[in-house]
Amino acid sequence: MNSSSVKVEAVRAADPIAPPPILVRGQGGLGQYVRQARKRQQLRIDDAASLFGVSVDLVSRLENGAGSVRLDKLQAVLDGLGLALVVGPKSDLQSFVTRQKASDDERV
């Protein structure tokens, strides 16, 4: 295990409860979710970029939904934050949204 993964694991252990998964409808939604995850872990953007092996510019573009980000770089950021990218058929979208709404209603 390299030293950067140890640091990320140590940060994750202190995380408050993460919000539920979201349906991302564009780069902006993904970026907001990534920014919230980074801030919950109390990581400055430059520290996060260094830990994940990407540039500050890339993290900034991702969080702001500006420009393109290579898939391998996106995966590095998501993995570093303890997040995952899930892909499935659009036909399953309605059941996901229904489950999400039910979950949200239970919390209220």
Side-chain angles (χ1 to χ4, degrees), residues 5 20 59 74 84 108:
S5 63
V59 177
L74 171 61
V108 175

Side-chain angles (χ1 to χ4, degrees), residues 31-49:
Q32 289 173 356
Y33 198 87
V34 166
R35 176 179 284 129
Q36 290 169 357
R38 176 179 59 79
K39 288 187 174 193
R40 271 193 319 277
Q41 295 182 32
Q42 300 177 344
L43 285 171
R44 295 182 337 184
I45 193 167
D46 56 330
D47 292 334

Side-chain angles (χ1 to χ4, degrees), residues 29-30 32-33 37-38 67-68 77 79 85 91 94 101 104:
L30 176 60
Q32 289 173 356
Y33 198 87
R38 176 179 59 79
S68 61
V77 172
D79 189 47
L85 179 65
S91 60
Q94 186 57 48
K101 183 170 178 359
D104 291 346

Side-chain angles (χ1 to χ4, degrees), residues 13-68:
D15 285 350
I17 297 174
I22 61 165
L23 174 63
V24 175
R25 290 190 165 93
Q27 276 184 293
L30 176 60
Q32 289 173 356
Y33 198 87
V34 166
R35 176 179 284 129
Q36 290 169 357
R38 176 179 59 79
K39 288 187 174 193
R40 271 193 319 277
Q41 295 182 32
Q42 300 177 344
L43 285 171
R44 295 182 337 184
I45 193 167
D46 56 330
D47 292 334
S50 177
L51 284 170
F52 309 152
V54 298
S55 69
V56 172
D57 178 64
L58 180 129
V59 177
S60 177
R61 284 186 290 118
L62 175 59
E63 290 184 355
N64 290 303
S68 61

